[in-house]
Amino acid sequence: EPSRACGRGRPMAHEEKELELQAVIGFKGTVPSALILHPDQEHLIFPLGCTIVLRNLLKKTQSFLQGHDNQVNCITVSPSGKLLASGQKTFMGF
């Protein structure tokens, strides 16, 4: 199945290649309570568009959780740090 770019409801053409996310710079800050320090005190977690960024503060590296097809508008981490939940805006605006 063709892949879908964030925020687009139509499939990308087969001949187009997706760019691989290597790093992000910045934090928009529009999602309430979304800048989260992981319970291990080593990772900072935050949404940026339709991606969730996991920043290792000690190693200064980034990992990405991708799968949303619209902007992430809520995120939380369990007290143990083993679970992360996120939600997105629907195309109907909810």
Side-chain angles (χ1 to χ4, degrees):
E1 175 176 321
S3 59
R4 296 181 190 275
C6 176
R8 283 201 241 167
R10 66 183 198 285
M12 294 174 61
H14 287 287
E15 59 275 353
E16 291 182 20
K17 293 186 178 185
E18 285 191 42
L19 296 175
E20 182 179 332
L21 184 60
Q22 294 182 350
V24 299
I25 300 171
F27 172 68
K28 192 171 181 181
T30 58
V31 179
S33 303
L35 186 61
I36 301 171
L37 181 62
H38 190 276
D40 69 6
Q41 304 291 302
E42 294 181 14
H43 294 88
L44 195 59
I45 304 166
F46 59 94
L48 191 60
C50 58
T51 299
I52 295 172
V53 181
L54 307 171
R55 169 98 169 123
N56 185 310
L57 299 171
L58 303 178
K59 297 178 182 177
K60 298 189 180 352
T61 59
Q62 297 176 345
S63 300
F64 309 103
L65 301 176
Q66 298 177 305
H68 288 284
D69 59 4
N70 207 346
Q71 291 183 6
V72 175
N73 66 353
C74 60
I75 185 171
T76 191
V77 176
S78 67
S80 70
K82 292 182 180 182
L83 302 173
L84 183 144
S86 60
Q88 71 178 33
K89 289 183 180 181
T90 66
F91 288 101
M92 294 174 45
F94 299 108

